[in-house]
Amino acid sequence: MKSIQSNNYVDEAERVIKTLKNRKNPKNGREIPMVTTTKIRNLLAMTADIYNEMLNVPGERLPESLSGRIEYLRVRFIYEAGRDPEVKNFVTEAKILDILREIAGSKENFILFNRYMEALVAFHRFYGGKD
């Protein structure tokens, strides 16, 4: 995958959260609120459901049923981003939609995406993400 690799996804997750934490409104200089812990954990939960099912699949390629669920996951991320500007900032800065496209039926790519999501949640918590 172009956006994240097994040797940089942790650093990328940290960069994303630090960037979101330090965003300021250019008009008034106030901090732009970061996505809440609840919302980011809900996004992780959707990802984890697919991950847990994928663990029982043999081989390197994901079956069509799981590839379809990943496409639907992309739709859910788009929907949540459309509902909440903080989620949109998170999804955009983390390049989640691009990464979901790059999975392309690869089990290895989905595992990497799931680890990236876990790293985003961990750094969100570490840098003081709140509900």
Side-chain angles (χ1 to χ4, degrees):
M1 293 199 314
K2 294 183 297 186
S3 302
I4 55 172
Q5 310 266 323
S6 60
N7 63 350
N8 77 344
Y9 75 92
V10 175
D11 292 334
E12 179 62 14
E14 184 176 25
R15 183 201 64 75
V16 166
I17 298 302
K18 281 182 171 180
T19 299
L20 291 172
K21 183 171 176 38
N22 296 322
R23 278 210 171 142
K24 305 263 187 230
N25 186 327
K27 293 179 182 176
N28 59 20
R30 291 185 184 160
E31 264 188 31
I32 296 174
M34 196 164 50
V35 64
T36 64
T37 301
T38 300
K39 289 177 185 170
I40 196 173
R41 289 194 57 78
N42 285 340
L43 297 173
L44 176 63
M46 289 188 285
T47 303
D49 287 342
I50 297 171
Y51 177 79
N52 290 335
E53 190 173 327
M54 184 224 43
L55 290 176
N56 297 324
V57 174
E60 294 299 314
R61 303 298 300 165
L62 294 171
E64 192 64 35
S65 61
L66 284 181
S67 292
R69 287 187 63 194
I70 292 168
E71 283 299 301
Y72 181 67
L73 180 65
R74 202 171 71 162
V75 171
R76 289 295 311 270
F77 274 76
I78 292 167
Y79 174 75
E80 293 299 329
R83 289 184 65 212
D84 187 332
E86 289 132 11
V87 174
K88 185 174 184 174
N89 289 338
F90 171 73
V91 168
T92 302
E93 186 65 35
K95 301 175 187 153
I96 290 175
L97 300 178
D98 294 334
I99 295 168
L100 283 170
R101 274 190 211 98
E102 292 175 9
I103 291 170
S106 166
K107 192 173 180 181
E108 182 180 338
N109 287 351
F110 187 76
I111 291 169
L112 181 58
F113 171 71
N114 188 69
R115 289 179 181 165
Y116 178 56
M117 285 296 298
E118 290 173 342
L120 287 164
V121 171
F123 280 113
H124 182 270
R125 190 72 190 143
F126 182 77
Y127 287 113
K130 297 187 174 35
D131 268 338

